[in-house]
PDB file of all heavy atoms in Angstrom:
ATOM      1  N   SER D  27       1.068   8.022   1.593  1.00  0.00           N
ATOM      2  CA  SER D  27       1.220   9.422   1.214  1.00  0.00           C
ATOM      3  C   SER D  27       1.908  10.128   2.343  1.00  0.00           C
ATOM      4  O   SER D  27       1.729   9.806   3.503  1.00  0.00           O
ATOM      5  CB  SER D  27      -0.120  10.058   0.915  1.00  0.00           C
ATOM      6  OG  SER D  27      -0.956  10.059   2.037  1.00  0.00           O
ATOM      7  N   VAL D  50     -20.736  41.466 -11.554  1.00  0.00           N
ATOM      8  CA  VAL D  50     -21.543  41.199 -12.745  1.00  0.00           C
ATOM      9  C   VAL D  50     -22.869  40.561 -12.351  1.00  0.00           C
ATOM     10  O   VAL D  50     -23.919  40.903 -12.898  1.00  0.00           O
ATOM     11  CB  VAL D  50     -20.755  40.317 -13.736  1.00  0.00           C
ATOM     12  CG1 VAL D  50     -21.641  39.840 -14.867  1.00  0.00           C
ATOM     13  CG2 VAL D  50     -19.559  41.084 -14.283  1.00  0.00           C
ATOM     14  N   GLY D  70     -49.204  53.728 -16.071  1.00  0.00           N
ATOM     15  CA  GLY D  70     -50.351  54.235 -15.326  1.00  0.00           C
ATOM     16  C   GLY D  70     -51.560  53.356 -15.580  1.00  0.00           C
ATOM     17  O   GLY D  70     -51.517  52.144 -15.422  1.00  0.00           O
ATOM     18  N   ALA D  99     -65.472  91.358 -10.072  1.00  0.00           N
ATOM     19  CA  ALA D  99     -64.499  92.133 -10.838  1.00  0.00           C
ATOM     20  C   ALA D  99     -63.829  91.241 -11.869  1.00  0.00           C
ATOM     21  O   ALA D  99     -63.507  90.079 -11.601  1.00  0.00           O
ATOM     22  CB  ALA D  99     -63.454  92.737  -9.900  1.00  0.00           C
ATOM     23  N   ALA D 110     -67.255  98.032 -19.010  1.00  0.00           N
ATOM     24  CA  ALA D 110     -67.314  98.885 -20.200  1.00  0.00           C
ATOM     25  C   ALA D 110     -66.043  98.737 -21.045  1.00  0.00           C
ATOM     26  O   ALA D 110     -66.101  98.844 -22.275  1.00  0.00           O
ATOM     27  CB  ALA D 110     -67.503 100.341 -19.781  1.00  0.00           C
ATOM     28  N   ILE D 119     -56.809  91.907 -27.947  1.00  0.00           N
ATOM     29  CA  ILE D 119     -56.270  90.535 -28.000  1.00  0.00           C
ATOM     30  C   ILE D 119     -56.467  89.942 -29.386  1.00  0.00           C
ATOM     31  O   ILE D 119     -55.577  89.303 -29.948  1.00  0.00           O
ATOM     32  CB  ILE D 119     -56.927  89.671 -26.914  1.00  0.00           C
ATOM     33  CG1 ILE D 119     -56.534  90.184 -25.520  1.00  0.00           C
ATOM     34  CG2 ILE D 119     -56.548  88.199 -27.075  1.00  0.00           C
ATOM     35  CD1 ILE D 119     -57.322  89.552 -24.396  1.00  0.00           C
ATOM     36  N   ALA D 121     -56.780  91.638 -32.191  1.00  0.00           N
ATOM     37  CA  ALA D 121     -55.915  92.363 -33.126  1.00  0.00           C
ATOM     38  C   ALA D 121     -54.462  91.901 -33.001  1.00  0.00           C
ATOM     39  O   ALA D 121     -53.745  91.826 -33.999  1.00  0.00           O
ATOM     40  CB  ALA D 121     -56.017  93.863 -32.871  1.00  0.00           C
ATOM     41  N   LEU D 134     -60.787  80.778 -18.831  1.00  0.00           N
ATOM     42  CA  LEU D 134     -61.762  81.533 -18.043  1.00  0.00           C
ATOM     43  C   LEU D 134     -61.818  80.945 -16.646  1.00  0.00           C
ATOM     44  O   LEU D 134     -62.167  79.782 -16.469  1.00  0.00           O
ATOM     45  CB  LEU D 134     -63.144  81.494 -18.701  1.00  0.00           C
ATOM     46  CG  LEU D 134     -64.259  82.234 -17.969  1.00  0.00           C
ATOM     47  CD1 LEU D 134     -63.918  83.709 -17.841  1.00  0.00           C
ATOM     48  CD2 LEU D 134     -65.576  82.059 -18.689  1.00  0.00           C
ATOM     49  N   LEU D 162     -62.703  76.464 -19.596  1.00  0.00           N
ATOM     50  CA  LEU D 162     -63.110  76.790 -18.234  1.00  0.00           C
ATOM     51  C   LEU D 162     -62.165  76.092 -17.271  1.00  0.00           C
ATOM     52  O   LEU D 162     -61.979  74.882 -17.340  1.00  0.00           O
ATOM     53  CB  LEU D 162     -64.554  76.345 -17.985  1.00  0.00           C
ATOM     54  CG  LEU D 162     -65.595  76.972 -18.913  1.00  0.00           C
ATOM     55  CD1 LEU D 162     -66.962  76.385 -18.640  1.00  0.00           C
ATOM     56  CD2 LEU D 162     -65.618  78.475 -18.759  1.00  0.00           C
ATOM     57  N   SER D 165     -60.478  73.647 -10.192  1.00  0.00           N
ATOM     58  CA  SER D 165     -59.464  73.015  -9.353  1.00  0.00           C
ATOM     59  C   SER D 165     -59.936  71.619  -8.998  1.00  0.00           C
ATOM     60  O   SER D 165     -61.141  71.341  -9.013  1.00  0.00           O
ATOM     61  CB  SER D 165     -59.211  73.843  -8.085  1.00  0.00           C
ATOM     62  OG  SER D 165     -60.402  73.961  -7.352  1.00  0.00           O
TER      63      SER D 165
END
Side-chain angles (χ1 to χ4, degrees):
S27 62
V50 171
I119 295 170
L134 179 60
L162 301 176
S165 60

